[in-house]
Amino acid sequence: MTNKLSRRDFLKYTGMSSAAAFAAAYGMPLGTALAQAPPGDTAGHLVIYNFGGAEQQQMIANAIGRFNERYPNVVVEDLYIPWPEGWGHYTTNLKLRVASGLKTDIIAIAIEGTRETIFEDLVLPMDDAIAADDELQAIVDEVEPVLHDALKGPDGQTYYFTREWNNMIIHYNTAIFEEAGLDPPAVDWTWEDFLETASVLTHGEGADKQFGFAIPYFNFGLTPWWHTNDTATLTADWSQSNLDDPKMLESVKFVHSLVHEHGVAPSVEGLTMTEHFMAGTAAMTGAGRWPFDTYVSTDWRTVDITPWPRNRAGTTVFGSGGWAVSKTAENVPLALELIKNLTAFETDMEAVAVGTSLPARRSATENELFNSFPANAHRFFGSLEDIKPVPSPENFSEYEAIFMRHMDQIMANSLTPEQGLEMAHVELTAAMDKLAERMAES
């Protein structure tokens, strides 16, 4: 399947918008046509397929307000969906919406869904538009390359403009550490150091028990344990299962041991890690920046962050989200003008104030607002020095479901780590083979 946008496709997908008509009439290069901003009196209607929490919804509303100062005759509908149950569900609903012919102009999605939307031919490639538009090029240039590149298609083309990102980093309760006479964790601490620290911080019985660590028990939250052991659930190109790697077994056994051997972490069934952490029943947990809105709103300040403990590698995981133009967009140039507002520095600064995600631009964090809390806030962007994206193949929801179903059985002691990973590897291999066949036929 090719995603190169032809002149015929451009006219088909954009309709006779001002840029398309101009390009058709004068033989203007496609990229230049895309970069032609519509006049300010343009009338229209744009629909955004969007996700997030209440804070993100307000940020988007503010960006739309700035857009409407320039384009007062354009109605923008933010089809806002609260944080999805899963990216597979979110993407499936998007595909159903497009197939039903419902208006969709701009698509917001996390990295977990980008490959599928590209494979399903739902979004437009943007390289030509970026090359012809200095403002779009500046947006790309201001974003950390690792974040931008993670959202590209397998063909190397840009489809998404980075909206935000999050990593996984250790959150620790500074008051509990002080009470235990422990220094803050070193930036280069190891799994062994982590386990020793968690053991010291685990004490008590029953409802009064304090655990050293609350496991972030979801696919993204578990991934740093694989990455810091120089392995992953999928091969480097995300095309096949890597669950037969001995280092994956070693990693899963370590996570399993935190609950069932060392007892430094509570059972993962029904676990709400942030509640454990904020209640003081867990001295450490793992997350990105997203809990900080809760920390701030409740004025809970005894928290700081430190890098994930390493075994074979000093790294972690990240996921970024982005904005794309739908192939069904009726006016692509107008949609791009709105994306300029959605990705503006002002929006990034609002993300800094809200605290639920990390802004796309490092420059938005070089201020007292971002760095005043936590004390080591600089470690968020510092993690980009050595970081890997969460594996996000075209069948992400299927892949994630297979892996986490078997992890559930392992953590419940229904299967040993050896049994669970072997069974998961067989099932995931079949699913990835089927995906390869589908992609070869497209």
Side-chain angles (χ1 to χ4, degrees):
M1 179 178 68
T2 176
N3 285 304
K4 185 67 176 176
L5 186 65
S6 67
R7 176 186 293 271
R8 180 180 299 174
D9 284 339
F10 175 71
L11 294 174
K12 171 184 176 183
Y13 294 130
T14 62
M16 289 304 289
S17 68
S18 57
F22 194 83
Y26 295 98
M28 180 178 290
L30 180 57
T32 305
L34 281 168
Q36 295 296 311
D41 61 354
T42 298
H45 177 207
L46 294 174
V47 175
I48 307 172
Y49 186 78
N50 191 18
F51 67 91
E55 297 91 346
Q56 282 83 6
Q57 190 176 23
Q58 183 58 56
M59 287 164 53
I60 302 311
N62 293 342
I64 292 171
R66 293 192 294 270
F67 170 81
N68 280 143
E69 291 176 4
R70 184 179 178 189
Y71 294 103
N73 300 321
V74 178
V75 176
V76 180
E77 180 182 350
D78 183 16
L79 186 61
Y80 162 78
I81 299 168
W83 291 114
E85 293 295 324
W87 294 113
H89 179 72
Y90 180 84
T91 306
T92 296
N93 284 345
L94 170 63
K95 291 190 290 186
L96 290 172
R97 177 179 177 81
V98 173
S100 300
L102 296 174
K103 183 173 176 59
T104 310
D105 299 288
I106 294 174
I107 295 169
I109 207 164
I111 187 174
E112 289 90 342
T114 55
R115 285 285 184 95
E116 185 170 3
T117 58
I118 294 168
F119 173 61
E120 296 289 348
D121 217 21
L122 299 178
V123 293
L124 291 172
M126 287 286 109
D127 285 347
D128 287 343
I130 293 168
D133 188 316
D134 290 343
E135 289 180 311
L136 293 178
Q137 185 65 61
I139 290 170
V140 172
D141 291 344
E142 290 166 5
V143 172
E144 298 291 318
V146 68
L147 301 178
H148 175 75
D149 292 346
L151 299 178
K152 287 184 176 181
D155 57 3
Q157 290 203 68
T158 295
Y159 293 80
Y160 284 86
F161 295 92
T162 309
R163 150 177 165 151
E164 71 218 340
W165 69 286
N166 258 302
N167 67 354
M168 287 298 296
I169 200 164
I170 297 293
H171 295 212
Y172 67 97
N173 187 315
T174 55
I176 291 178
F177 268 67
E178 290 173 8
E179 290 170 7
L182 293 175
D183 292 330
V187 294
D188 60 349
W189 66 331
T190 65
W191 284 10
E192 184 179 352
D193 297 330
F194 165 84
L195 184 55
E196 181 179 344
T197 301
S199 297
V200 171
L201 295 169
T202 300
H203 54 77
E205 298 292 337
D208 295 326
K209 184 165 185 177
Q210 175 186 287
F211 291 94
F213 185 65
I215 296 173
Y217 190 69
F218 47 97
N219 180 61
F220 184 73
L222 291 170
T223 300
W225 294 116
W226 328 144
H227 285 182
T228 54
N229 203 27
D230 196 28
T231 190
T233 49
L234 296 176
T235 54
D237 61 359
W238 301 348
S239 68
Q240 265 301 340
S241 171
N242 192 51
L243 298 180
D244 60 344
D245 182 354
K247 290 181 288 187
M248 272 301 302
L249 177 59
E250 180 184 20
S251 306
V252 169
K253 289 175 74 172
F254 182 79
V255 173
H256 179 267
S257 77
L258 298 178
V259 176
H260 297 290
E261 179 183 345
H262 304 291
V264 299
S267 174
V268 298
E269 288 83 8
L271 174 69
T272 304
M273 61 178 193
T274 304
E275 290 180 5
H276 265 289
F277 183 55
M278 294 187 67
T281 54
M284 298 181 289
T285 191
R289 191 171 182 246
W290 65 84
F292 274 85
D293 66 331
T294 304
Y295 300 162
V296 171
S297 65
T298 57
D299 198 28
W300 190 67
R301 301 282 175 162
T302 57
V303 60
D304 205 351
I305 58 172
T306 198
W308 209 268
R310 64 185 65 194
N311 197 35
R312 289 182 170 87
T315 185
T316 187
V317 65
F318 79 94
S320 48
W323 300 103
V325 179
S326 168
K327 276 201 170 180
T328 61
E330 295 176 359
N331 190 327
V332 173
L334 193 64
L336 284 171
E337 292 304 307
L338 177 53
I339 285 178
K340 290 177 184 178
N341 288 102
L342 294 170
T343 58
F345 184 79
E346 293 91 333
T347 306
D348 272 1
M349 287 302 299
E350 290 180 10
V352 166
V354 168
T356 61
S357 60
L358 290 158
R361 295 171 179 82
R362 186 188 296 261
S363 58
T365 70
E366 295 170 344
N367 52 70
E368 184 178 356
L369 177 63
F370 183 84
N371 290 290
S372 61
F373 178 61
N376 286 299
H378 64 278
R379 289 177 176 163
F380 282 120
F381 266 83
S383 70
L384 293 179
E385 294 175 8
D386 186 352
I387 201 166
K388 296 177 175 61
V390 60
S392 301
E394 288 80 356
N395 63 341
F396 175 83
S397 57
E398 182 183 23
Y399 138 74
E400 182 183 51
I402 291 170
F403 177 67
M404 289 304 299
R405 176 160 33 85
H406 288 88
M407 276 298 299
D408 289 346
Q409 293 176 292
I410 291 170
M411 296 304 292
N413 275 339
S414 299
L415 295 172
T416 66
E418 290 86 353
Q419 291 169 333
L421 282 184
E422 181 179 0
M423 294 171 66
H425 176 64
V426 171
E427 186 175 348
L428 185 55
T429 296
M432 301 309 291
D433 286 345
K434 185 176 179 180
L435 172 64
E437 292 175 3
R438 285 175 50 212
M439 295 179 69
E441 293 170 358
S442 64

